[in-house]
Amino acid sequence: MTPTNPPQFTADLLAFTERQALSDTRAAGLLGVPVFTLRKWTSGQRAPSAAAVRLLSVLGTLEALAPDVLAALTPPEGSKPPRAKKPL
């Protein structure tokens, strides 16, 4: 899983969250972004940063090679992801 463009990233992100049975809240927490950003990515309204693309790739590798590590990194249900930063 090496997303290189937003449509591929979106498809990979949706497939990953489905395989892991992650809610938007838990997926956003795992990726370290607000739910708003996650939803913009999945709707194609916003392109991910290079760091987000790489992180999803690493999470895919963990899913394949070390599922217990991925499970330990995944936020529990009900935890809150980061909030969007307000401009100064």
Side-chain angles (χ1 to χ4, degrees), residues 10 18 37:
T10 299
E18 186 175 314
T37 299

Side-chain angles (χ1 to χ4, degrees), residues 7-27:
Q8 184 62 49
F9 176 84
T10 299
D12 290 344
L13 177 57
L14 290 171
F16 177 79
T17 57
E18 186 175 314
R19 285 192 310 271
Q20 293 297 313
L22 296 174
S23 64
D24 284 356
T25 303
R26 291 179 69 208

Side-chain angles (χ1 to χ4, degrees), residues 1 16 19-20 57-71:
M1 180 184 342
F16 177 79
R19 285 192 310 271
Q20 293 297 313
S57 177
V58 169
L59 292 173
T61 301
L62 280 175
E63 179 183 34
L65 300 177
D68 291 339
V69 174
L70 179 60

